[in-house]
Amino acid sequence: MTEYFEVIERDGPARIGRLRLATPVATPALVDEVIEDAGSLWPTERDAPDGDDESLTILPHRAFPAGTASEVQSAFAVEPDSVSFPSATVISRETASDYNTDAYVLSEASGIVGNARAFVETIVDVRASIPDDTGLFCSGVATAANAAVLAYAGIDCFDTHRAYLRGLEGFYQTTDGEMFLEDLSELPCACAACQQSREAFGPEDCAAHNVNALRASLATVREKIRAGTLRSYIEGQARHEAWLTATFRRLDQQYGYLEERTPLVRTAEILASSDDTMRRVEIQRFADRVCSRYRNRFDQPLVLVPCSARKPYSSSQSHGQFHEAINYRAHTVSMTSPIGVVPPELEYTYPAQQYDSVVTGRWSESEIEFVANVLKRYLERNDYPRHIAHVPPGGYQEICERVEARTDVEFEFTVTEHPTTDDALETLSETLSGESTFRKREREHNTVRAIADYQFGAGAGDELFGPISVDGYLPGLRVHDDGGEQLATIVPQYGTLSFTLAGAQRWNESDVPTNRVEIDPFVPQGSVLAPGITSASESIRVGDEVFVEGEKAIAVGRAKMHGTAMENSSRGIAVEVRHVEER
């Protein structure tokens, strides 16, 4: 039972936590001042520490440096005693397990920092072996430059040892790396230690500055986590050191680790500033769900169009012109980097309306190949009577040509210069001459079903929303059954469905996979805390709709933890409840 550490907010593996001491500490943070080390058992036996609620006590331990043989670790591993005060256990990748403490100290941390492969594999393995709601402490590794990546990987607690010692050695550290103090003509910082002339600034001052810079860097990291923008931040900030760039790229290869911890929806915008953005979980997950869950329900031809800078696309001037030319005679799908393809029914769904791209007018090879692969998968799943590409020359048309070469699809190209010229729009309109039209209401109904497919799984739209009626306006439609009872609402800022209790019960009784949370016999009041949960679907992600059921109540709400964390955590809000019914 974790008593003194609680996760408050999540941004992928990074978390805002609270070390629940007499004076609480918000993590990721420096913890030097609150650590009490009961000592190593290598030189001598140690008495059991008394402990107190003012500090985090590291229990007597045997630390194993990186590279220690597994048989040695097994032979000398320590099983810590259970204590009633805030405590931490020293572990390695080999010995990591649930020792019923509030935090875990990774003994080989300093030996793997700098080696991206060893670091990522170790952190992923350790995090899988210790409870989700416990802190991970890496000593002797943090600097102002690497703190963001270390926190992004899932580390919560740090100390000042490395930053301070590097300062004494004459290395001046910033979030951009470190410089030789003797090479500086002036001090590029306004912290207290730097409020003096360069000539008077010595190694002790440099050490103090490094600590100040590290503390400020961690404060920035906490703000980025709260805002949901840490990944965008490190895509730029981490490039000053090769191993840091390699580290977050290797983390991207640990898709299961990242995906489980990455929220399904956010309000923060994704800045697509490099090819690394295409490897983000949010991008990969959206593309995969579009290609494996979404199903086109229109009988009309496909028209591919370029994306727009303004989101959602339908609110842009260019897409307004496309709409006038098409006039409900085709299914208009947008092509975009870094997301791939976006059907109009999902243009409000995160992250389709929450990203911004750096526009240069030229597509990179990796962008072309990524979007081509997504488009190919999309067309293999969705049949159309005709395929029209209303896209400009260059990257867009090259994508279509690659798909033609890899499938039996043939595109009718309607643009020679730019898609919004009068000639191009007239050609598009004439190309669709004689095609039947669909009604606005049909689009609205299909939007509800498409979002359900995307959100809950292939076929969910038809299973959950057969005969329906809708009212309101996109993107805030309200969905009713054929008897007039409201089942769900589309949440405008996320483009996902939010169930009423009636809708949630229909979901639970259907064949559609349900995100279920089983609770103890109580009636939820506003939220469900993790200790009250007896089981939770492993598929649940932060932001998911969940159906809550217990002996005394049923409820529906939105997940604040992923499913595994709900089952394993002993503190924290697991579900924000929207509707509840007492049994």
Side-chain angles (χ1 to χ4, degrees):
M1 175 69 73
T2 305
E3 180 67 25
Y4 295 98
F5 187 83
E6 178 180 359
V7 178
I8 306 299
E9 199 160 348
R10 302 165 191 270
D11 184 6
R15 304 97 63 83
I16 296 291
R18 180 184 294 123
L19 191 55
R20 297 166 55 87
L21 306 178
T23 302
V25 177
T27 63
L30 298 174
V31 295
D32 308 57
E33 296 179 358
V34 297
I35 288 291
E36 289 292 336
D37 190 347
S40 172
L41 293 171
W42 285 119
T44 183
E45 290 297 314
R46 302 281 180 177
D47 293 332
D50 294 331
D52 59 61
D53 64 0
E54 295 182 354
S55 59
L56 180 69
T57 300
I58 301 176
L59 302 177
H61 55 273
R62 293 191 182 96
F64 302 106
T68 302
S70 58
E71 55 268 26
V72 173
Q73 297 194 43
S74 298
F76 292 97
V78 175
E79 184 80 26
D81 294 331
S82 180
V83 297
S84 59
F85 48 81
S87 62
T89 301
V90 176
I91 58 166
S92 67
R93 182 180 180 182
E94 293 281 344
T95 65
S97 186
D98 182 0
Y99 293 113
N100 199 34
T101 53
D102 305 288
Y104 293 83
V105 185
L106 185 60
S107 62
E108 68 258 52
S110 60
I112 58 174
V113 165
N115 183 328
R117 178 177 180 177
F119 174 80
V120 169
E121 291 178 353
T122 298
I123 297 301
V124 170
D125 284 353
V126 167
R127 268 291 168 208
S129 301
I130 63 176
D132 182 83
D133 63 336
T134 55
L136 181 59
F137 178 19
C138 288
S139 175
V141 301
T143 67
N146 68 23
V149 172
L150 300 185
Y152 177 69
I155 300 172
D156 306 286
C157 301
F158 307 92
D159 57 27
T160 62
H161 295 175
R162 180 174 178 83
Y164 192 84
L165 289 175
R166 292 295 280 175
L168 294 181
E169 293 168 352
F171 292 92
Y172 187 96
Q173 297 179 334
T174 71
T175 55
D176 297 326
E178 60 183 20
M179 300 165 276
F180 288 110
L181 177 59
E182 62 186 27
D183 291 341
L184 293 179
S185 300
E186 56 183 291
L187 302 175
C189 175
C191 77
C194 295
Q195 297 303 301
Q196 56 184 303
S197 66
R198 169 62 189 88
E199 293 72 23
F201 191 85
E204 290 283 351
D205 301 309
C206 188
H209 155 78
N210 286 356
V211 172
N212 290 339
L214 173 55
R215 184 172 287 109
S217 179
L218 286 169
T220 297
V221 168
R222 291 192 295 272
E223 285 302 305
K224 297 298 181 183
I225 294 172
R226 292 183 184 105
T229 58
L230 182 60
R231 171 55 191 254
S232 294
Y233 175 68
I234 67 169
E235 281 189 20
Q237 187 269 337
R239 294 185 186 279
H240 56 271
E241 290 187 29
W243 90 269
L244 292 176
T245 302
T247 294
F248 79 75
R249 287 179 176 173
R250 282 194 172 272
L251 277 167
D252 285 343
Q253 296 170 15
Q254 298 284 344
Y255 183 79
Y257 176 72
L258 292 183
E259 194 278 330
E260 181 179 42
R261 293 162 172 80
T262 300
L264 181 69
V265 294
R266 304 178 193 261
T267 55
E269 183 177 83
I270 292 175
L271 175 61
S273 58
S274 73
D275 287 350
D276 288 312
T277 306
M278 287 184 290
R279 291 185 283 272
R280 288 183 62 150
V281 165
E282 301 96 319
I283 301 299
Q284 295 290 329
R285 182 162 54 196
F286 183 87
D288 181 68
R289 289 191 178 196
V290 167
C291 295
S292 64
R293 296 185 175 191
Y294 169 85
R295 180 174 66 81
N296 169 47
R297 292 175 168 84
F298 295 93
D299 297 326
Q300 285 73 18
L302 166 71
V303 173
L304 291 176
V305 297
C307 65
S308 64
R310 186 168 179 174
K311 314 295 186 305
Y313 306 132
S314 59
S315 66
S316 69
Q317 181 178 358
S318 61
H319 280 243
Q321 293 173 297
F322 301 153
H323 175 71
E324 288 183 9
I326 295 169
N327 194 26
Y328 298 105
R329 293 176 294 170
H331 186 228
T332 308
V333 173
S334 301
M335 297 170 59
T336 179
S337 175
I339 293 186
V341 298
V342 182
E345 304 96 301
L346 299 179
E347 69 168 341
Y348 298 99
T349 304
Y350 179 86
Q353 68 165 330
Q354 290 94 355
Y355 78 97
D356 193 14
S357 297
V358 176
V359 179
T360 64
R362 296 177 61 88
W363 289 65
S364 69
E365 169 58 28
S366 54
E367 286 178 304
I368 291 172
E369 187 63 16
F370 173 73
V371 178
N373 284 333
V374 174
L375 179 58
K376 174 178 177 291
R377 290 181 61 198
Y378 177 85
L379 293 177
E380 288 172 342
R381 179 171 172 79
N382 293 285
D383 293 326
Y384 290 94
R386 298 168 63 192
H387 301 83
I388 299 163
H390 190 74
V391 294
Y396 283 107
Q397 289 193 7
E398 184 173 345
I399 290 167
C400 295
E401 289 164 0
R402 288 192 187 188
V403 172
E404 283 184 321
R406 299 171 187 177
T407 66
D408 58 2
V409 170
E410 291 186 7
F411 287 103
E412 303 171 50
F413 291 93
T414 55
V415 178
T416 55
E417 296 180 0
H418 194 278
T420 59
T421 63
D422 291 341
D423 286 345
L425 293 170
E426 184 177 352
T427 300
L428 175 60
S429 181
E430 290 176 352
T431 300
L432 293 171
S433 177
E435 295 289 348
S436 64
T437 61
F438 58 84
R439 294 178 178 275
K440 178 183 176 183
R441 189 63 71 193
E442 181 182 355
R443 182 198 172 188
E444 292 175 339
H445 288 200
N446 285 350
T447 295
V448 170
R449 297 184 180 109
I451 293 173
D453 288 343
Y454 176 90
Q455 196 171 346
F456 305 114
D462 293 335
E463 177 77 14
L464 298 176
F465 300 106
I468 58 172
S469 62
V470 299
D471 61 16
Y473 299 92
L474 281 170
L477 292 177
R478 294 179 294 276
V479 189
H480 306 265
D481 65 15
D482 52 358
E485 183 169 26
Q486 185 172 343
L487 301 175
T489 300
I490 299 177
V491 182
Q493 62 265 44
Y494 301 137
T496 54
L497 289 162
S498 172
F499 282 124
T500 63
L501 201 54
Q505 288 175 305
R506 174 181 287 205
W507 179 30
N508 183 54
E509 294 165 1
S510 74
D511 292 331
V512 176
T514 307
N515 296 325
R516 292 182 58 83
V517 175
E518 302 284 346
I519 61 173
D520 289 325
F522 67 93
V523 179
Q525 300 294 326
S527 62
V528 175
L529 302 181
I533 291 176
T534 59
S535 68
S537 301
E538 188 177 333
S539 60
I540 294 172
R541 300 294 179 258
V542 175
D544 258 329
E545 284 287 290
V546 294
F547 180 79
V548 180
E549 185 169 25
E551 183 180 322
K552 292 190 173 182
I554 59 172
V556 63
R558 190 175 294 274
K560 296 292 287 182
M561 298 178 180
H562 58 84
T564 303
M566 288 183 183
E567 287 195 346
N568 297 340
S569 297
S570 50
R571 303 196 70 86
I573 296 174
V575 181
E576 287 185 341
V577 172
R578 186 182 315 113
H579 305 290
V580 62
E581 180 178 288
E582 191 170 352
R583 284 178 160 173

